[in-house]
Amino acid sequence: MPLVFVLFIILFAFSASSHADADTFRIQTAKQLVALYGFTRAARTMPLISEVSGKVLKVNSDIGEAIPESGVFTCLDDTFTQLDKQANQIEQKRLRTDVAYYQKETQRQQKLIKRKSTSQSDLDAMQRLLTNTRQQLKVLKIEQKRLQERLSRFCIQAPTGWRVISRHIEPGQWVSTGQTLATIGDFQRLHIPLLLSPQELAALQQQAQIQVTLADVRQGLVQAKIARIAPDFDEQTRKTRVELVLSESLAMSRGGLRVRLQLELDDHSKAFVVPDSALQTRYDTSMLQRENGQTVSVVILGQGAVTNTSRIVSPEIHAGDVFMRE
């Protein structure tokens, strides 16, 4: 047999096999497409609480505005603490003068003792005065540090870039120690809290790449990742709390944006997924055709998780069976 004729037969057989594979499909167990919805939240929130009392001088950020680069949300009037600090410095100066005087007197008394021109009790009294004055000076230095630390708390610091969620003070208002001045949040990263069943959580963790849709803002998918998984569960729903974080920054970065997450779960209804082109309809009955021409009646349950597919059930079909596409 000529070599060219043999090659022609091989190519024809390969073409026929490829054509046959293209006209058939192997049936697979259906997947159930579940849509979960959540709303964006700030990655972190915290209250700003005053550690001192005083009158509000100025508020640098209103509701919805970001904390400025200085990191100062508001400052309180520190006039009286400044006066206490000045009085402390004056008293330290006076005590340093006393220490210098008592040192000289102690040295003079020591010389007089050697000459036996004074008593030992006079020297002891002078040394006691010098020691007490030095101790008082140390106490004032500690008090100076306390006042300096207190002064630093009259301006309430906050993380730069965080935004004000609620504000409870106005300029000129008197605030007390422990009073909440505002609540701020980190909206530079958005979190989406969700409650997932064990099956949904397993499907989420199996995804190599998590994508969500911002339903009310824009079309298209947004990348996300798992931020944290709670070790406990919600007692009412028996589900686990999971927080996703958006990997992309949004122009409209705020809470309350509706987010849709789609997961493919195993269908426990013993259904299969088939392409719509493989379904044949005769006298209101849907069926599939095997390779040998035999037809099998099926019941259509609805649309499949993939476009142009349907979910069907039939007691005559098993996973892995081969059917014709058309």
Side-chain angles (χ1 to χ4, degrees), residues 112-286:
L112 292 175
I113 283 290
K114 292 180 180 179
R115 299 176 187 173
K116 297 182 180 180
S117 298
T118 186
S119 64
Q120 182 66 39
S121 60
D122 291 339
L123 176 60
D124 293 342
M126 189 57 62
Q127 288 178 334
R128 185 171 62 254
L129 284 173
L130 176 61
T131 301
N132 289 340
T133 306
R134 284 174 173 170
Q135 292 297 330
Q136 292 175 16
L137 185 59
K138 289 181 180 179
V139 171
L140 285 179
K141 289 181 178 179
I142 294 174
E143 178 66 13
Q144 180 185 7
K145 292 181 179 179
R146 189 189 69 81
L147 290 173
Q148 189 62 41
E149 189 65 29
R150 181 178 176 82
L151 283 172
S152 67
R153 283 162 167 72
F154 277 90
C155 284
I156 288 79
Q157 300 286 333
T160 301
W162 287 35
R163 288 158 60 188
V164 179
I165 299 174
S166 62
R167 166 182 153 181
H168 312 296
I169 57 172
E170 294 294 337
Q173 178 181 342
W174 177 269
V175 298
S176 304
T177 302
Q179 180 177 340
T180 299
L181 308 182
T183 301
I184 61 173
D186 179 12
F187 290 92
Q188 300 173 71
R189 294 183 304 141
L190 294 178
H191 280 215
I192 304 103
L194 298 169
L195 289 176
L196 303 183
S197 66
Q199 183 184 9
E200 293 168 345
L201 178 57
L204 178 66
Q205 292 177 316
Q206 290 175 0
Q207 290 188 1
Q209 191 176 31
I210 301 175
Q211 295 180 323
V212 298
T213 304
L214 295 174
D216 300 328
V217 179
R218 73 180 196 188
Q219 301 296 326
L221 298 174
V222 179
Q223 301 295 327
K225 60 182 179 181
I226 298 176
R228 59 178 68 97
I229 300 176
D232 205 352
F233 69 100
D234 183 77
E235 295 185 357
Q236 295 182 349
T237 62
R238 299 296 191 271
K239 293 184 177 183
T240 302
R241 182 180 178 87
V242 179
E243 287 192 20
L244 301 181
V245 57
L246 296 182
S247 303
E248 305 177 20
S249 58
L250 304 178
M252 185 183 296
S253 183
R254 61 177 181 82
L257 301 178
R258 192 162 59 104
V259 177
R260 182 175 68 248
L261 170 68
Q262 289 188 338
L263 297 175
E264 284 190 3
L265 307 180
D266 291 333
D267 195 328
H268 298 291
S269 61
K270 298 182 179 180
F272 302 95
V273 60
V274 298
D276 292 340
S277 59
L279 292 171
Q280 301 178 10
T281 304
R282 297 177 185 174
Y283 304 105
D284 296 331
T285 301
S286 299

Side-chain angles (χ1 to χ4, degrees), residues 29-47:
T29 304
K31 294 287 185 178
Q32 182 180 4
L33 190 61
V34 176
L36 303 175
Y37 290 88
F39 294 89
T40 56
R41 298 285 190 274
R44 294 171 293 171
T45 60
M46 71 174 181

